[in-house]
Amino acid sequence: MKIDSHQHFWQYDPIRDAWITPAMQAIRRDFFPEDLQPLLQKTGIDGTIAVQSDQSEAETEFLLSLAEQHDFIKGVVGWVDLRSETLSERLEMFRAFPKLKGFRHIVQAEPDDLFLLRTEFMEGVRTLGEYGYTYDVLIYPKHLPVARELATRLPYNRFVVDHGAKPLIKQGELEKWTADIQSLGKRENVCCKVSGLVTEADWEKWSLKQLRPYLDVIFESFGTSRTMFGSDWPVCLVASAYERWVEILNEYMEPFSETEKAQFWGITATEFYSL
């Protein structure tokens, strides 16, 4: 299967979704499976992982209800309060939903740069692993050393870094991010999503040439066995059509072997999320 490991659905709410600024007018509306399915068919993508964009259990339930109605949604990454004293009870309840594969917290929005290492949060992530769930790491470049420390302290958990930790592509900053990504890549329990990079570049003028140094670092650090395709649809639409992003990555992947291509386009995500 070819898997898009990272996409979202939402019923647009201007208050809840305040992160969608006026500059992102293209995505200030509802996005449902009916909007995505034709794009998947056009690009030959067989299934997706729907990822939370709101920090509520209602969001998790919303995504699970969509997954029940649409076979192409192969898995859901939801949200649960990882610091709650009732976390185990909530995870027991969620076991009833086989398409629920993992969880995410919007760490990039937390004022504490060491948030990932807070004792109660880290214990929550550890508990996810005990229940067989994955954890999606949504961070900025400054958080990479903290993410590495988390992966080191929790070697039996399975982590995936969303959007390559959002490198500052538009500003051309590469050196520090490269060193930190390479360091994180040495942790065998960490994968990386090649997603969301176009929105970190110049929305109007981005090109494969601009993205290539960052793609090179991700693939050199994680290899295709720990790297997975993701679109970050519909967020990507502020900078790129879905088909264009697939086309660019097909072009980039041309020199890779058939085995490596198969890993990147689907096998890595299928294995990581136990699809």
Side-chain angles (χ1 to χ4, degrees):
M1 288 193 299
K2 282 191 171 182
I3 299 295
D4 180 345
S5 70
H6 200 102
Q7 53 83 199
H8 307 284
F9 298 114
W10 61 68
Q11 195 158 10
Y12 178 64
D13 180 317
I15 296 170
R16 183 196 64 194
D17 303 322
W19 62 274
I20 305 176
T21 65
M24 305 166 87
Q25 190 62 39
I27 61 171
R28 293 184 120 190
R29 61 178 182 86
D30 299 349
F31 287 93
F32 283 98
E34 294 79 10
D35 302 302
L36 179 59
Q37 197 158 15
L39 303 176
L40 302 179
Q41 290 168 344
K42 198 180 291 187
T43 52
I45 305 297
D46 301 300
T48 72
I49 303 293
V51 180
Q52 64 83 225
S53 54
D54 179 54
Q55 305 210 119
S56 67
E57 282 196 21
E59 169 84 345
T60 308
E61 290 160 7
F62 166 68
L63 295 177
L64 287 171
S65 71
L66 295 178
E68 283 176 12
Q69 299 165 48
H70 299 273
D71 287 342
F72 78 81
I73 305 172
K74 304 297 183 188
V76 166
V77 173
W79 184 89
V80 69
D81 186 354
L82 293 170
R83 294 170 287 177
S84 170
E85 292 178 1
T86 62
L87 176 61
S88 292
E89 293 167 31
R90 302 310 297 151
L91 297 179
E92 282 289 349
M93 184 275 294
F94 280 128
R95 273 183 162 166
F97 301 91
K99 281 193 174 181
L100 184 57
K101 302 301 182 181
F103 292 90
R104 183 173 85 153
H105 186 87
I106 302 177
V107 173
Q108 66 178 30
E110 294 290 345
D112 180 7
D113 287 351
L114 300 177
F115 181 86
L116 283 171
L117 300 181
R118 286 187 176 183
T119 302
E120 69 277 17
F121 187 79
M122 200 162 52
E123 283 306 309
V125 175
R126 188 197 305 275
T127 302
L128 290 184
E130 291 169 357
Y131 278 81
Y133 290 116
T134 62
Y135 180 72
D136 267 59
V137 187
L138 179 62
I139 53 173
Y140 289 132
K142 65 180 179 178
H143 301 114
L144 278 165
V146 186
R148 188 186 191 282
E149 182 63 24
L150 177 71
T152 303
R153 292 191 197 182
L154 301 178
Y156 300 108
N157 280 74
R158 291 174 297 147
F159 299 97
V160 61
V161 179
D162 293 345
H163 318 318
K166 298 194 167 185
L168 301 172
I169 300 172
K170 188 175 181 181
Q171 294 88 329
E173 293 185 19
L174 187 62
E175 195 173 331
K176 177 76 165 65
W177 172 84
T178 295
D180 289 336
I181 279 284
Q182 288 172 339
S183 180
L184 183 60
K186 290 175 179 158
R187 306 309 310 174
E188 291 292 328
N189 57 331
V190 183
C191 293
C192 187
K193 291 183 181 179
V194 178
S195 58
L197 298 183
V198 286
T199 47
E200 302 309 316
D202 187 313
W203 293 358
E204 306 296 329
K205 301 175 185 173
W206 70 270
S207 64
L208 177 55
K209 183 181 178 183
Q210 185 188 27
L211 299 180
R212 188 178 291 278
Y214 299 89
L215 291 167
D216 288 346
V217 169
I218 290 171
F219 279 93
E220 286 163 10
S221 301
F222 292 91
T224 52
S225 65
R226 289 189 290 134
T227 307
M228 57 185 88
F229 162 68
S231 66
D232 199 25
W233 180 94
V235 182
C236 67
L237 298 179
V238 301
S240 170
Y242 191 98
E243 303 94 316
R244 176 69 175 143
W245 180 232
V246 172
E247 184 184 306
I248 283 289
L249 290 177
N250 270 320
E251 186 180 339
Y252 176 81
M253 294 295 293
E254 241 171 53
F256 288 72
S257 71
E258 291 306 309
T259 300
E260 290 170 325
K261 289 175 184 174
Q263 286 176 323
F264 170 70
W265 287 107
I267 293 171
T268 303
T270 299
E271 292 179 349
F272 180 81
Y273 286 116
S274 306
L275 304 185

